[in-house]
Amino acid sequence: MTQWCGPGAADYDERRALFNAMIDKRPRLIASCDGPADVKEALERAAQDDLRVAVRSGGHSVAGQSSNDDGLVIDVRPMKAIEIDPKGRRARVGGGCTWGEFDAAAQEFGLATTGGRVSSTGVAGLTLGGGSGWLERQHGLSCDNLLAVELVTADGHEIRADEHQHQDLLWASKGGGGNFGVVTALEFRLHPVGPTILGGLMAWHATHAAEVARAFRDWADDAPEELGPGLVVLTGPPEEFIPPRLQGEPLVAVALCWIGDPASGEDLVRILRDLEPEVDLVGPMPYAELQSMLDDPPGFRQYWSADYHDSFSDAALDVFLAAGANRASPMTQHLLLPWGGALARVDADATPLTQRTARWVSHPFATWEHAADDAANRAWVREYRTANAPFTSGGVYLNFIGDEGDERIKAAFGADKYERLVAIKSEYDPGNVFSGNQNIRPRANA
């Protein structure tokens, strides 16, 4: 049964809060939905009262697209059912589940699929936008493992899209975002992973950044697909695992996940250990623990962006590290992720995403506390992107960016795939009811 919440309700502020504290939107109504019938009721109410619609699951959209002002938010968080078929290596996951919940259920059977690197991220939103995670170089993105999606369309119809029916809608859901309906359930292919893997973090003081970054670039660029690593420029947090002398200091770190033969993984990691990290937390650990290693608490202000690269030269590394040394906030993280492997093997037409052969993704991830610092942190991201532009390929992974305009959306898909998405949008949502996303406008509104 739909539960309605509006301004004045005791839990209104709690229920409207999003991960990004910069977003302070005040919807007229929040509809907490237990299933498709509740979603249909909420859509009918939105049409009746002429309210704009947003769909909220994990609430991690950095642009705040999980909410709106004076509209109606369809909150699918109550849809938490998870069914694991260990023999068939399949999972059916409710539209309100987070990756932490999904991982915990699948790991009981030593299974997983590529999921987000932050455990509180919603499964649906991440998958619909592509789904980058530690396992991607061996098993592809989350969307590459999506077998079926169940959703409620703008006109209230319940639809299942799979290999046998509504194949166009399944294709569009593999990276085309939440443009086509309210997702109530997803089905995934699972893979043997863990429950114990080799993973963790190594860190050095930033005085070693150039040496470590170049070694990481060469090491990761040629690494086996079982390795999922990332280079991170950050500030040493006040945590027990960070020596006191490094707390509050600029660091360069490598986070990694190895899901292959343990002995081979140790041999691979030794290349980094030869650089004598001042923090070495890499070892056997539960996969589910690795999945929450980068979790940040909600309540901070966020502004992110990203770009694809066909290669990452020394000059590109110099620009990356210079930006990392001049972050506007000590809470900001500056990331470099290697792609390749299974991501590049996916047929070019299998998903809406373009440039699947990109080798690297740069990801400035600005995080700060006070509104007075908004301009400085936005400027830091934009200035890095400007300096980085000569080294980029023009493509982008939309889950890593905020609202950067239509041209960036089109760059994520390429002209032909974008036109195909417009045609599918025009069929399933001709009135653009689902516009609170990286929006693909139907033909009448394009």
Side-chain angles (χ1 to χ4, degrees):
M1 180 176 178
T2 309
Q3 294 186 8
W4 302 94
C5 174
D11 58 348
Y12 175 71
D13 285 337
E14 179 184 350
R15 291 172 64 178
R16 72 183 180 89
L18 302 175
F19 177 75
N20 185 359
M22 284 186 72
I23 311 301
D24 188 28
K25 296 181 178 178
R26 303 184 65 85
R28 189 185 305 181
L29 283 173
I30 301 172
S32 292
C33 299
D34 287 322
D38 293 350
V39 173
K40 182 178 179 180
E41 180 184 1
L43 288 169
E44 290 172 349
R45 178 71 177 271
Q48 173 187 314
D49 294 351
D50 193 25
L51 299 175
R52 291 182 300 112
V53 171
V55 182
R56 188 250 170 83
S57 179
H60 273 253
S61 165
V62 70
Q65 295 163 335
S66 307
S67 188
N68 58 33
D69 282 315
D70 201 35
L72 186 148
V73 173
I74 297 175
D75 187 345
V76 301
R77 282 179 290 178
M79 301 183 200
K80 295 288 193 185
I82 301 176
E83 302 169 15
I84 306 295
D85 173 9
K87 186 173 291 187
R89 292 183 181 170
R90 295 175 66 110
R92 184 177 186 275
V93 182
C97 289
T98 65
W99 281 101
E101 293 161 342
F102 181 14
D103 287 333
Q107 280 291 279
E108 290 186 17
F109 304 96
L111 299 171
T113 199
T114 306
R117 296 176 179 87
V118 175
S119 66
S120 58
T121 304
V123 172
L126 186 99
T127 302
L128 294 174
S132 177
W134 297 119
L135 306 182
E136 62 197 7
R137 298 184 69 252
Q138 185 170 44
H139 297 307
L141 300 171
S142 305
C143 68
D144 299 328
N145 295 282
L146 183 65
L147 301 174
V149 62
E150 298 171 17
L151 48 76
V152 179
T153 58
D155 58 6
H157 283 86
E158 296 179 37
I159 287 181
R160 176 182 170 88
D162 57 29
E163 62 179 332
H164 304 296
Q165 55 195 333
H166 299 287
Q167 294 98 326
D168 57 343
L169 191 55
L170 177 63
W171 178 85
S173 298
K174 294 183 174 186
N179 277 283
F180 310 100
V182 180
V183 170
T184 56
L186 310 95
E187 293 185 11
F188 292 94
R189 180 185 303 109
L190 298 174
H191 309 275
V193 175
T196 299
I197 53 90
L198 180 66
L201 184 81
M202 292 182 176
W204 298 255
H205 192 277
T207 52
H208 301 285
E211 176 189 8
V212 171
R214 281 162 176 71
F216 169 85
R217 188 263 321 271
D218 298 340
W219 174 77
D221 197 36
D222 194 37
E225 295 175 8
E226 294 92 336
L227 179 69
L231 182 73
V232 189
V233 179
L234 73 163
T235 300
E239 302 286 352
E240 290 183 4
F241 59 83
I242 299 293
R245 70 180 186 281
L246 296 180
Q247 295 181 13
E249 289 291 307
L251 306 180
V252 60
V254 174
L256 66 91
C257 171
W258 171 263
I259 53 173
D261 172 65
S264 299
E266 289 289 353
D267 289 342
L268 191 66
V269 168
R270 191 172 298 118
I271 297 172
L272 292 182
R273 287 204 168 110
D274 287 344
L275 298 176
E276 300 180 348
E278 295 172 78
V279 177
D280 186 350
L281 304 175
V282 173
M285 67 186 301
Y287 171 73
E289 182 179 324
L290 175 77
Q291 283 288 82
S292 61
M293 184 176 68
L294 299 182
D295 283 7
D296 280 327
F300 294 108
R301 306 174 81 80
Q302 311 279 345
Y303 188 78
W304 315 335
S305 193
D307 283 288
Y308 287 167
H309 306 260
D310 292 329
S311 62
F312 216 75
S313 65
D314 286 353
L317 272 177
D318 289 342
V319 169
F320 177 87
L321 294 174
N326 292 289
R327 289 167 294 131
S329 164
M331 301 174 68
T332 287
Q333 298 180 12
H334 196 25
L335 291 88
L336 180 64
L337 301 169
W339 273 18
L343 287 109
R345 288 200 303 274
V346 173
D347 185 272
D349 296 323
T351 75
L353 304 176
T354 194
Q355 295 196 29
R356 295 295 296 261
T357 57
R359 295 291 299 174
W360 296 92
V361 181
S362 58
H363 184 19
F365 191 106
T367 303
W368 67 101
E369 189 170 1
H370 302 294
D373 299 323
D374 286 359
N377 282 277
R378 287 172 170 164
W380 175 79
V381 172
R382 292 167 179 165
E383 288 166 5
Y384 169 67
R385 286 203 62 235
T386 298
N388 187 41
F391 311 106
T392 65
S393 66
V396 62
Y397 171 63
L398 292 178
N399 274 351
F400 280 171
I401 75 170
D403 182 1
E404 298 185 8
D406 287 352
E407 292 308 310
R408 288 282 268 170
I409 295 173
K410 293 175 181 177
F413 306 120
D416 292 344
K417 291 183 179 182
Y418 182 79
E419 287 304 312
R420 183 178 173 186
L421 288 168
V422 168
I424 297 170
K425 174 76 169 181
S426 302
E427 177 181 356
Y428 289 97
D429 184 18
N432 203 19
V433 170
F434 304 113
S435 60
N437 43 51
Q438 300 282 10
N439 194 222
I440 298 164
R441 287 187 285 276
R443 295 204 190 283
N445 295 301

